[in-house]
Amino acid sequence: MADVEARPSNFIRQIIDKDLENGKHTSVHTRFPPEPNGFLHIGHAKSICLNFGIAGDYMGTCNLRFDDTNPEKEDIDYVHSIQEDIQWLGYEWDGEVRYSSLYFDQLHGYAIELIKAGKAYVCFLNAEEMREYRGTLKEPGKNSPYRDTPVEENLALFEKMKNGEFKEGECSLRAKVDMTSPFMVMRDPVIYRIKFAHHHQTGEQWCIYPMYDFTHCISDAIEDITHSLCTLEFQDNRRIYDWVLDNISIQSRPHQYEFSRLNLEYTLMSKRKLNALVEGNHVEGWNDPRMPTIAGLRRRGYTPASVKEFCKRIGVTKQDNMVEMGMLEACIRDDLNENAPRAMAVLDPVKIIIENYEEGKVETLTAPNHPSNESMGTREVPFTREILIEREDFKEEANKKFKRLVLGKEVRLRNAYVIKAERVEKDEAGEITTIYCTYDDETLGKDPADGRKVKGVIHWVSASEGVKAEVRLYDRLFTVPNPAAEEDFTQVLNPESLVIMSNAVIEPSLANAQDHAAYQFERTGYFCRDTSAQGDLVFNRTVGLRDTWAKIEAK
Ligand code: ATP
Ligand code: MG
């Protein structure tokens, strides 16, 4: 049994504790019910961690069920990507993958039950008429003229619907509930509609498809789900969830509980809107590292542990709110600070020639992989007469705040010697092409003997031994915290969300980095290898070293 103290506490777990205590349930059975109409995003991760987390902590089980009643928008590729993402997060669903479509026969049977009980009818109002009859939040609706069709006739009409004898939109099956209900979802909702569409699981077998409100509760009951957890926008739908289960002959009686959805600043949290970014070529695809999808985060360098930690930190409540991106970034930074080996890479190189260092010599220096974790070992770093440093790490003149290389002054090369800048060479445009330096051969791993203080430390890579790489720097995808509130969110895309450093050079030990392997590139952030990107050696910046890094550097 998991450590009870370490479990998160929230209102849903309190409900479960009570249900177990008073014997309403003896075990807990949850489900994660994605619609396969896009890739999962970080909002879904919240739901996954909640459902699978509860199953794990209470020694219960959690099903994966594709809510696949909308064949036109769904795709088998999404079915696969969703499974991959859940497994990557480290969760295992109970038994086989389930589909609402597996229950189409049973659902059809329960619809007939409702018709026979005089609780459902075939309605020939078109979409516009139906809207008129439905009324508004302030005005009650009116009964459909088809509401009192006799049972036998309804059964025959529904059979005809199923046999493809009506056109799409010509009629639908509606539950007979209450056209004056204050809850719009109770005003005789449609429970079956006609769609001549190919379904990724059932092919051409059906031309009528059940609606979410009819399907979800029955699927939960068929699977003996005890606690059906969903987001707050389904709060009103709970009425119809209960109505359907109370009016059919099914034994199991699950209950729905709602929690607030995750909203994250500077991004979008809807498959439909994310799909628009993909379709409009505003991003490379669903797994673009700027996307808030689980596949995008994975490619960006997020770890399963960091995503789970984020879900733990945000908690589960009924309060709608907007979470800062910094909160997500802090989780991966904490993880990588502890677990990512250090390495050196120069993103925007300028050449240094160390004039008093032997030409052609390659010296093998040893560098620790982690400053505070010796068990992570060491690596070899080649040192040579010509090296590369970051262009921004050198200035011809600077005040004392600039703790890097300045003409006539000294700086320490990380894991190597102290060097002094003697003179520079520039091209016609005045751009520095080479910085000539000297080094102090007494300073490897120790301070200068005469007590000179050298405060600054910069990173570097051997010019001849280093390996060329492409480094991709990511920023927020949008320029405003809530792009979903814009009339057209494609107008507020951040044009600098991706900056490609195509001349980067990495230390040779990085050339064989595995896909997704994470490193801290000294002083520039956390990065991971991306073998799915086009290009030879591509590294993505997962996150900067600290939230305020850019501000500190700008001063
Ligand atoms: P989207 O609009 O992104 O498609 P959805 O709710 O329609 O979201 P589903 O595939 O139906 O997506 O969602 C599967 C489960 O994930 C549902 O239980 C849903 O409530 C939950 N979920 C979806 N978005 C979020 C979110 N932002 N935060 C928390 N849970 C979410
Ligand atoms: Mg949906």
Side-chain angles (χ1 to χ4, degrees), residues 42-75:
I42 180 86
H44 293 111
K46 174 176 178 175
S47 177
I48 292 170
C49 289
L50 178 65
N51 281 297
F52 284 93
I54 283 174
D57 286 349
Y58 288 90
M59 298 176 76
T61 47
C62 180
N63 289 358
L64 167 61
R65 182 201 317 142
F66 287 101
D67 173 23
D68 56 348
T69 55
N70 217 347
E72 287 156 331
K73 302 217 171 90
E74 296 163 7
D75 197 284

PDB file of all heavy atoms in Angstrom, residues 42-75:
ATOM      1  N   ILE A  42      -1.477  19.073 -21.710  1.00  0.00           N
ATOM      2  CA  ILE A  42      -1.120  19.040 -20.285  1.00  0.00           C
ATOM      3  C   ILE A  42      -2.363  19.064 -19.396  1.00  0.00           C
ATOM      4  O   ILE A  42      -2.347  18.548 -18.273  1.00  0.00           O
ATOM      5  CB  ILE A  42      -0.119  20.191 -19.961  1.00  0.00           C
ATOM      6  CG1 ILE A  42       0.307  20.229 -18.493  1.00  0.00           C
ATOM      7  CG2 ILE A  42      -0.651  21.550 -20.362  1.00  0.00           C
ATOM      8  CD1 ILE A  42       1.462  19.337 -18.183  1.00  0.00           C
ATOM      9  N   GLY A  43      -3.474  19.615 -19.918  1.00  0.00           N
ATOM     10  CA  GLY A  43      -4.738  19.561 -19.177  1.00  0.00           C
ATOM     11  C   GLY A  43      -5.199  18.123 -18.994  1.00  0.00           C
ATOM     12  O   GLY A  43      -5.670  17.727 -17.920  1.00  0.00           O
ATOM     13  N   HIS A  44      -5.025  17.319 -20.039  1.00  0.00           N
ATOM     14  CA  HIS A  44      -5.382  15.909 -19.922  1.00  0.00           C
ATOM     15  C   HIS A  44      -4.476  15.209 -18.908  1.00  0.00           C
ATOM     16  O   HIS A  44      -4.908  14.292 -18.217  1.00  0.00           O
ATOM     17  CB  HIS A  44      -5.282  15.203 -21.280  1.00  0.00           C
ATOM     18  CG  HIS A  44      -6.286  15.681 -22.274  1.00  0.00           C
ATOM     19  ND1 HIS A  44      -5.940  16.402 -23.390  1.00  0.00           N
ATOM     20  CD2 HIS A  44      -7.638  15.570 -22.309  1.00  0.00           C
ATOM     21  CE1 HIS A  44      -7.041  16.699 -24.077  1.00  0.00           C
ATOM     22  NE2 HIS A  44      -8.076  16.213 -23.445  1.00  0.00           N
ATOM     23  N   ALA A  45      -3.215  15.670 -18.837  1.00  0.00           N
ATOM     24  CA  ALA A  45      -2.293  15.070 -17.864  1.00  0.00           C
ATOM     25  C   ALA A  45      -2.853  15.225 -16.453  1.00  0.00           C
ATOM     26  O   ALA A  45      -2.730  14.324 -15.615  1.00  0.00           O
ATOM     27  CB  ALA A  45      -0.909  15.698 -17.968  1.00  0.00           C
ATOM     28  N   LYS A  46      -3.489  16.372 -16.208  1.00  0.00           N
ATOM     29  CA  LYS A  46      -4.102  16.585 -14.888  1.00  0.00           C
ATOM     30  C   LYS A  46      -5.159  15.512 -14.623  1.00  0.00           C
ATOM     31  O   LYS A  46      -5.207  14.921 -13.540  1.00  0.00           O
ATOM     32  CB  LYS A  46      -4.728  17.982 -14.836  1.00  0.00           C
ATOM     33  CG  LYS A  46      -5.521  18.262 -13.562  1.00  0.00           C
ATOM     34  CD  LYS A  46      -6.049  19.694 -13.519  1.00  0.00           C
ATOM     35  CE  LYS A  46      -6.871  19.911 -12.239  1.00  0.00           C
ATOM     36  NZ  LYS A  46      -7.298  21.305 -12.082  1.00  0.00           N
ATOM     37  N   SER A  47      -5.986  15.257 -15.620  1.00  0.00           N
ATOM     38  CA  SER A  47      -7.049  14.260 -15.483  1.00  0.00           C
ATOM     39  C   SER A  47      -6.466  12.842 -15.375  1.00  0.00           C
ATOM     40  O   SER A  47      -6.948  12.014 -14.598  1.00  0.00           O
ATOM     41  CB  SER A  47      -7.983  14.377 -16.689  1.00  0.00           C
ATOM     42  OG  SER A  47      -8.976  13.400 -16.647  1.00  0.00           O
ATOM     43  N   ILE A  48      -5.417  12.569 -16.145  1.00  0.00           N
ATOM     44  CA  ILE A  48      -4.762  11.253 -16.104  1.00  0.00           C
ATOM     45  C   ILE A  48      -4.166  11.004 -14.716  1.00  0.00           C
ATOM     46  O   ILE A  48      -4.367   9.956 -14.109  1.00  0.00           O
ATOM     47  CB  ILE A  48      -3.652  11.173 -17.185  1.00  0.00           C
ATOM     48  CG1 ILE A  48      -4.285  11.171 -18.583  1.00  0.00           C
ATOM     49  CG2 ILE A  48      -2.769   9.944 -16.979  1.00  0.00           C
ATOM     50  CD1 ILE A  48      -3.283  11.336 -19.726  1.00  0.00           C
ATOM     51  N   CYS A  49      -3.435  12.010 -14.211  1.00  0.00           N
ATOM     52  CA  CYS A  49      -2.802  11.854 -12.893  1.00  0.00           C
ATOM     53  C   CYS A  49      -3.862  11.668 -11.815  1.00  0.00           C
ATOM     54  O   CYS A  49      -3.667  10.903 -10.871  1.00  0.00           O
ATOM     55  CB  CYS A  49      -1.932  13.073 -12.560  1.00  0.00           C
ATOM     56  SG  CYS A  49      -0.444  13.142 -13.568  1.00  0.00           S
ATOM     57  N   LEU A  50      -4.981  12.357 -11.963  1.00  0.00           N
ATOM     58  CA  LEU A  50      -6.051  12.232 -10.979  1.00  0.00           C
ATOM     59  C   LEU A  50      -6.658  10.828 -11.031  1.00  0.00           C
ATOM     60  O   LEU A  50      -6.723  10.121 -10.023  1.00  0.00           O
ATOM     61  CB  LEU A  50      -7.125  13.295 -11.255  1.00  0.00           C
ATOM     62  CG  LEU A  50      -8.343  13.253 -10.329  1.00  0.00           C
ATOM     63  CD1 LEU A  50      -7.949  13.581  -8.895  1.00  0.00           C
ATOM     64  CD2 LEU A  50      -9.417  14.233 -10.813  1.00  0.00           C
ATOM     65  N   ASN A  51      -7.074  10.404 -12.207  1.00  0.00           N
ATOM     66  CA  ASN A  51      -7.759   9.115 -12.338  1.00  0.00           C
ATOM     67  C   ASN A  51      -6.847   7.915 -12.050  1.00  0.00           C
ATOM     68  O   ASN A  51      -7.207   7.032 -11.289  1.00  0.00           O
ATOM     69  CB  ASN A  51      -8.377   8.979 -13.740  1.00  0.00           C
ATOM     70  CG  ASN A  51      -9.679   9.749 -13.864  1.00  0.00           C
ATOM     71  OD1 ASN A  51     -10.651   9.449 -13.173  1.00  0.00           O
ATOM     72  ND2 ASN A  51      -9.705  10.772 -14.714  1.00  0.00           N
ATOM     73  N   PHE A  52      -5.667   7.919 -12.674  1.00  0.00           N
ATOM     74  CA  PHE A  52      -4.744   6.799 -12.463  1.00  0.00           C
ATOM     75  C   PHE A  52      -4.113   6.876 -11.070  1.00  0.00           C
ATOM     76  O   PHE A  52      -3.820   5.855 -10.453  1.00  0.00           O
ATOM     77  CB  PHE A  52      -3.657   6.770 -13.541  1.00  0.00           C
ATOM     78  CG  PHE A  52      -4.145   6.250 -14.865  1.00  0.00           C
ATOM     79  CD1 PHE A  52      -4.608   7.123 -15.847  1.00  0.00           C
ATOM     80  CD2 PHE A  52      -4.152   4.884 -15.134  1.00  0.00           C
ATOM     81  CE1 PHE A  52      -5.055   6.641 -17.073  1.00  0.00           C
ATOM     82  CE2 PHE A  52      -4.593   4.397 -16.355  1.00  0.00           C
ATOM     83  CZ  PHE A  52      -5.055   5.278 -17.328  1.00  0.00           C
ATOM     84  N   GLY A  53      -3.903   8.120 -10.605  1.00  0.00           N
ATOM     85  CA  GLY A  53      -3.309   8.312  -9.280  1.00  0.00           C
ATOM     86  C   GLY A  53      -4.222   7.758  -8.197  1.00  0.00           C
ATOM     87  O   GLY A  53      -3.781   7.063  -7.276  1.00  0.00           O
ATOM     88  N   ILE A  54      -5.505   8.051  -8.307  1.00  0.00           N
ATOM     89  CA  ILE A  54      -6.473   7.548  -7.329  1.00  0.00           C
ATOM     90  C   ILE A  54      -6.519   6.022  -7.386  1.00  0.00           C
ATOM     91  O   ILE A  54      -6.460   5.349  -6.354  1.00  0.00           O
ATOM     92  CB  ILE A  54      -7.871   8.158  -7.590  1.00  0.00           C
ATOM     93  CG1 ILE A  54      -7.892   9.590  -7.062  1.00  0.00           C
ATOM     94  CG2 ILE A  54      -8.964   7.317  -6.951  1.00  0.00           C
ATOM     95  CD1 ILE A  54      -9.155  10.360  -7.379  1.00  0.00           C
ATOM     96  N   ALA A  55      -6.595   5.479  -8.596  1.00  0.00           N
ATOM     97  CA  ALA A  55      -6.639   4.016  -8.733  1.00  0.00           C
ATOM     98  C   ALA A  55      -5.415   3.399  -8.049  1.00  0.00           C
ATOM     99  O   ALA A  55      -5.531   2.420  -7.308  1.00  0.00           O
ATOM    100  CB  ALA A  55      -6.693   3.618 -10.204  1.00  0.00           C
ATOM    101  N   GLY A  56      -4.256   3.996  -8.266  1.00  0.00           N
ATOM    102  CA  GLY A  56      -3.019   3.466  -7.684  1.00  0.00           C
ATOM    103  C   GLY A  56      -3.040   3.546  -6.164  1.00  0.00           C
ATOM    104  O   GLY A  56      -2.759   2.557  -5.476  1.00  0.00           O
ATOM    105  N   ASP A  57      -3.393   4.697  -5.643  1.00  0.00           N
ATOM    106  CA  ASP A  57      -3.329   4.897  -4.189  1.00  0.00           C
ATOM    107  C   ASP A  57      -4.375   4.093  -3.428  1.00  0.00           C
ATOM    108  O   ASP A  57      -4.170   3.737  -2.273  1.00  0.00           O
ATOM    109  CB  ASP A  57      -3.497   6.382  -3.858  1.00  0.00           C
ATOM    110  CG  ASP A  57      -2.239   7.179  -4.198  1.00  0.00           C
ATOM    111  OD1 ASP A  57      -1.203   6.534  -4.479  1.00  0.00           O
ATOM    112  OD2 ASP A  57      -2.288   8.420  -4.187  1.00  0.00           O
ATOM    113  N   TYR A  58      -5.518   3.830  -4.065  1.00  0.00           N
ATOM    114  CA  TYR A  58      -6.573   3.087  -3.366  1.00  0.00           C
ATOM    115  C   TYR A  58      -6.594   1.608  -3.760  1.00  0.00           C
ATOM    116  O   TYR A  58      -7.566   0.910  -3.493  1.00  0.00           O
ATOM    117  CB  TYR A  58      -7.942   3.723  -3.643  1.00  0.00           C
ATOM    118  CG  TYR A  58      -8.151   5.049  -2.934  1.00  0.00           C
ATOM    119  CD1 TYR A  58      -7.801   6.235  -3.542  1.00  0.00           C
ATOM    120  CD2 TYR A  58      -8.690   5.083  -1.639  1.00  0.00           C
ATOM    121  CE1 TYR A  58      -7.985   7.454  -2.897  1.00  0.00           C
ATOM    122  CE2 TYR A  58      -8.873   6.292  -0.985  1.00  0.00           C
ATOM    123  CZ  TYR A  58      -8.522   7.480  -1.615  1.00  0.00           C
ATOM    124  OH  TYR A  58      -8.696   8.671  -0.971  1.00  0.00           O
ATOM    125  N   MET A  59      -5.536   1.175  -4.426  1.00  0.00           N
ATOM    126  CA  MET A  59      -5.463  -0.200  -4.915  1.00  0.00           C
ATOM    127  C   MET A  59      -6.683  -0.559  -5.756  1.00  0.00           C
ATOM    128  O   MET A  59      -7.222  -1.662  -5.667  1.00  0.00           O
ATOM    129  CB  MET A  59      -5.303  -1.181  -3.743  1.00  0.00           C
ATOM    130  CG  MET A  59      -4.019  -0.914  -2.985  1.00  0.00           C
ATOM    131  SD  MET A  59      -3.840  -1.955  -1.554  1.00  0.00           S
ATOM    132  CE  MET A  59      -3.385  -3.482  -2.297  1.00  0.00           C
ATOM    133  N   GLY A  60      -7.113   0.405  -6.530  1.00  0.00           N
ATOM    134  CA  GLY A  60      -8.236   0.190  -7.426  1.00  0.00           C
ATOM    135  C   GLY A  60      -7.722   0.033  -8.846  1.00  0.00           C
ATOM    136  O   GLY A  60      -6.549  -0.304  -9.054  1.00  0.00           O
ATOM    137  N   THR A  61      -8.599   0.260  -9.810  1.00  0.00           N
ATOM    138  CA  THR A  61      -8.170   0.155 -11.200  1.00  0.00           C
ATOM    139  C   THR A  61      -8.688   1.362 -11.978  1.00  0.00           C
ATOM    140  O   THR A  61      -9.643   2.014 -11.568  1.00  0.00           O
ATOM    141  CB  THR A  61      -8.737  -1.122 -11.858  1.00  0.00           C
ATOM    142  OG1 THR A  61     -10.123  -1.215 -11.534  1.00  0.00           O
ATOM    143  CG2 THR A  61      -8.010  -2.362 -11.383  1.00  0.00           C
ATOM    144  N   CYS A  62      -8.025   1.631 -13.101  1.00  0.00           N
ATOM    145  CA  CYS A  62      -8.436   2.739 -13.962  1.00  0.00           C
ATOM    146  C   CYS A  62      -8.479   2.237 -15.403  1.00  0.00           C
ATOM    147  O   CYS A  62      -7.526   1.631 -15.878  1.00  0.00           O
ATOM    148  CB  CYS A  62      -7.450   3.903 -13.825  1.00  0.00           C
ATOM    149  SG  CYS A  62      -7.878   5.326 -14.849  1.00  0.00           S
ATOM    150  N   ASN A  63      -9.585   2.460 -16.068  1.00  0.00           N
ATOM    151  CA  ASN A  63      -9.721   2.053 -17.471  1.00  0.00           C
ATOM    152  C   ASN A  63      -9.291   3.187 -18.396  1.00  0.00           C
ATOM    153  O   ASN A  63      -9.414   4.359 -18.042  1.00  0.00           O
ATOM    154  CB  ASN A  63     -11.184   1.746 -17.802  1.00  0.00           C
ATOM    155  CG  ASN A  63     -11.658   0.460 -17.143  1.00  0.00           C
ATOM    156  OD1 ASN A  63     -10.887  -0.232 -16.473  1.00  0.00           O
ATOM    157  ND2 ASN A  63     -12.914   0.136 -17.344  1.00  0.00           N
ATOM    158  N   LEU A  64      -8.827   2.809 -19.560  1.00  0.00           N
ATOM    159  CA  LEU A  64      -8.687   3.779 -20.646  1.00  0.00           C
ATOM    160  C   LEU A  64      -9.846   3.496 -21.598  1.00  0.00           C
ATOM    161  O   LEU A  64      -9.985   2.385 -22.109  1.00  0.00           O
ATOM    162  CB  LEU A  64      -7.354   3.589 -21.376  1.00  0.00           C
ATOM    163  CG  LEU A  64      -7.244   4.349 -22.708  1.00  0.00           C
ATOM    164  CD1 LEU A  64      -7.378   5.863 -22.503  1.00  0.00           C
ATOM    165  CD2 LEU A  64      -5.914   4.033 -23.404  1.00  0.00           C
ATOM    166  N   ARG A  65     -10.690   4.508 -21.784  1.00  0.00           N
ATOM    167  CA  ARG A  65     -11.818   4.325 -22.699  1.00  0.00           C
ATOM    168  C   ARG A  65     -11.873   5.469 -23.707  1.00  0.00           C
ATOM    169  O   ARG A  65     -11.979   6.631 -23.337  1.00  0.00           O
ATOM    170  CB  ARG A  65     -13.136   4.271 -21.947  1.00  0.00           C
ATOM    171  CG  ARG A  65     -14.317   4.029 -22.911  1.00  0.00           C
ATOM    172  CD  ARG A  65     -15.648   4.468 -22.328  1.00  0.00           C
ATOM    173  NE  ARG A  65     -15.766   4.065 -20.955  1.00  0.00           N
ATOM    174  CZ  ARG A  65     -16.337   4.831 -20.018  1.00  0.00           C
ATOM    175  NH1 ARG A  65     -16.848   5.999 -20.318  1.00  0.00           N
ATOM    176  NH2 ARG A  65     -16.394   4.405 -18.783  1.00  0.00           N
ATOM    177  N   PHE A  66     -11.760   5.108 -24.976  1.00  0.00           N
ATOM    178  CA  PHE A  66     -11.911   6.130 -26.003  1.00  0.00           C
ATOM    179  C   PHE A  66     -13.382   6.457 -26.170  1.00  0.00           C
ATOM    180  O   PHE A  66     -14.209   5.579 -26.373  1.00  0.00           O
ATOM    181  CB  PHE A  66     -11.284   5.663 -27.316  1.00  0.00           C
ATOM    182  CG  PHE A  66      -9.790   5.684 -27.242  1.00  0.00           C
ATOM    183  CD1 PHE A  66      -9.067   4.525 -27.030  1.00  0.00           C
ATOM    184  CD2 PHE A  66      -9.107   6.894 -27.333  1.00  0.00           C
ATOM    185  CE1 PHE A  66      -7.682   4.563 -26.922  1.00  0.00           C
ATOM    186  CE2 PHE A  66      -7.729   6.943 -27.221  1.00  0.00           C
ATOM    187  CZ  PHE A  66      -7.019   5.772 -27.015  1.00  0.00           C
ATOM    188  N   ASP A  67     -13.674   7.720 -26.025  1.00  0.00           N
ATOM    189  CA  ASP A  67     -15.039   8.204 -26.141  1.00  0.00           C
ATOM    190  C   ASP A  67     -15.245   8.546 -27.626  1.00  0.00           C
ATOM    191  O   ASP A  67     -15.056   9.668 -28.053  1.00  0.00           O
ATOM    192  CB  ASP A  67     -15.145   9.441 -25.228  1.00  0.00           C
ATOM    193  CG  ASP A  67     -16.459  10.150 -25.388  1.00  0.00           C
ATOM    194  OD1 ASP A  67     -17.419   9.508 -25.820  1.00  0.00           O
ATOM    195  OD2 ASP A  67     -16.509  11.350 -25.094  1.00  0.00           O
ATOM    196  N   ASP A  68     -15.572   7.499 -28.384  1.00  0.00           N
ATOM    197  CA  ASP A  68     -15.482   7.629 -29.849  1.00  0.00           C
ATOM    198  C   ASP A  68     -16.849   7.616 -30.536  1.00  0.00           C
ATOM    199  O   ASP A  68     -17.156   6.742 -31.329  1.00  0.00           O
ATOM    200  CB  ASP A  68     -14.576   6.521 -30.421  1.00  0.00           C
ATOM    201  CG  ASP A  68     -15.053   5.125 -30.039  1.00  0.00           C
ATOM    202  OD1 ASP A  68     -15.933   5.001 -29.169  1.00  0.00           O
ATOM    203  OD2 ASP A  68     -14.544   4.152 -30.621  1.00  0.00           O
ATOM    204  N   THR A  69     -17.651   8.629 -30.236  1.00  0.00           N
ATOM    205  CA  THR A  69     -19.001   8.661 -30.807  1.00  0.00           C
ATOM    206  C   THR A  69     -19.133   9.706 -31.903  1.00  0.00           C
ATOM    207  O   THR A  69     -20.227  10.010 -32.357  1.00  0.00           O
ATOM    208  CB  THR A  69     -20.034   8.976 -29.707  1.00  0.00           C
ATOM    209  OG1 THR A  69     -19.657  10.189 -29.060  1.00  0.00           O
ATOM    210  CG2 THR A  69     -20.089   7.861 -28.691  1.00  0.00           C
ATOM    211  N   ASN A  70     -17.999  10.292 -32.290  1.00  0.00           N
ATOM    212  CA  ASN A  70     -18.010  11.404 -33.237  1.00  0.00           C
ATOM    213  C   ASN A  70     -17.082  11.085 -34.412  1.00  0.00           C
ATOM    214  O   ASN A  70     -16.051  11.734 -34.587  1.00  0.00           O
ATOM    215  CB  ASN A  70     -17.468  12.621 -32.476  1.00  0.00           C
ATOM    216  CG  ASN A  70     -18.176  13.877 -32.879  1.00  0.00           C
ATOM    217  OD1 ASN A  70     -18.895  13.909 -33.881  1.00  0.00           O
ATOM    218  ND2 ASN A  70     -17.950  14.926 -32.118  1.00  0.00           N
ATOM    219  N   PRO A  71     -17.449  10.074 -35.239  1.00  0.00           N
ATOM    220  CA  PRO A  71     -16.480   9.490 -36.180  1.00  0.00           C
ATOM    221  C   PRO A  71     -15.821  10.497 -37.128  1.00  0.00           C
ATOM    222  O   PRO A  71     -14.659  10.314 -37.491  1.00  0.00           O
ATOM    223  CB  PRO A  71     -17.313   8.463 -36.962  1.00  0.00           C
ATOM    224  CG  PRO A  71     -18.734   8.803 -36.693  1.00  0.00           C
ATOM    225  CD  PRO A  71     -18.769   9.440 -35.343  1.00  0.00           C
ATOM    226  N   GLU A  72     -16.531  11.546 -37.486  1.00  0.00           N
ATOM    227  CA  GLU A  72     -15.956  12.469 -38.481  1.00  0.00           C
ATOM    228  C   GLU A  72     -14.707  13.195 -37.979  1.00  0.00           C
ATOM    229  O   GLU A  72     -13.836  13.556 -38.748  1.00  0.00           O
ATOM    230  CB  GLU A  72     -16.995  13.523 -38.879  1.00  0.00           C
ATOM    231  CG  GLU A  72     -18.073  12.941 -39.762  1.00  0.00           C
ATOM    232  CD  GLU A  72     -19.358  13.734 -39.684  1.00  0.00           C
ATOM    233  OE1 GLU A  72     -19.622  14.354 -38.627  1.00  0.00           O
ATOM    234  OE2 GLU A  72     -20.098  13.733 -40.674  1.00  0.00           O
ATOM    235  N   LYS A  73     -14.640  13.433 -36.671  1.00  0.00           N
ATOM    236  CA  LYS A  73     -13.523  14.206 -36.122  1.00  0.00           C
ATOM    237  C   LYS A  73     -12.410  13.324 -35.581  1.00  0.00           C
ATOM    238  O   LYS A  73     -11.373  13.815 -35.165  1.00  0.00           O
ATOM    239  CB  LYS A  73     -14.032  15.095 -34.981  1.00  0.00           C
ATOM    240  CG  LYS A  73     -15.135  16.049 -35.410  1.00  0.00           C
ATOM    241  CD  LYS A  73     -15.000  17.372 -34.700  1.00  0.00           C
ATOM    242  CE  LYS A  73     -15.941  18.411 -35.266  1.00  0.00           C
ATOM    243  NZ  LYS A  73     -17.239  18.410 -34.583  1.00  0.00           N
ATOM    244  N   GLU A  74     -12.630  12.018 -35.590  1.00  0.00           N
ATOM    245  CA  GLU A  74     -11.695  11.139 -34.900  1.00  0.00           C
ATOM    246  C   GLU A  74     -10.783  10.403 -35.877  1.00  0.00           C
ATOM    247  O   GLU A  74     -11.073  10.312 -37.059  1.00  0.00           O
ATOM    248  CB  GLU A  74     -12.487  10.144 -34.041  1.00  0.00           C
ATOM    249  CG  GLU A  74     -13.265  10.873 -32.949  1.00  0.00           C
ATOM    250  CD  GLU A  74     -14.363  10.043 -32.329  1.00  0.00           C
ATOM    251  OE1 GLU A  74     -14.460   8.834 -32.647  1.00  0.00           O
ATOM    252  OE2 GLU A  74     -15.132  10.601 -31.534  1.00  0.00           O
ATOM    253  N   ASP A  75      -9.679   9.895 -35.325  1.00  0.00           N
ATOM    254  CA  ASP A  75      -8.700   9.261 -36.189  1.00  0.00           C
ATOM    255  C   ASP A  75      -7.920   8.220 -35.403  1.00  0.00           C
ATOM    256  O   ASP A  75      -7.608   8.415 -34.230  1.00  0.00           O
ATOM    257  CB  ASP A  75      -7.741  10.340 -36.708  1.00  0.00           C
ATOM    258  CG  ASP A  75      -6.970   9.864 -37.907  1.00  0.00           C
ATOM    259  OD1 ASP A  75      -6.018   9.061 -37.722  1.00  0.00           O
ATOM    260  OD2 ASP A  75      -7.313  10.272 -39.020  1.00  0.00           O
TER     261      ASP A  75
END
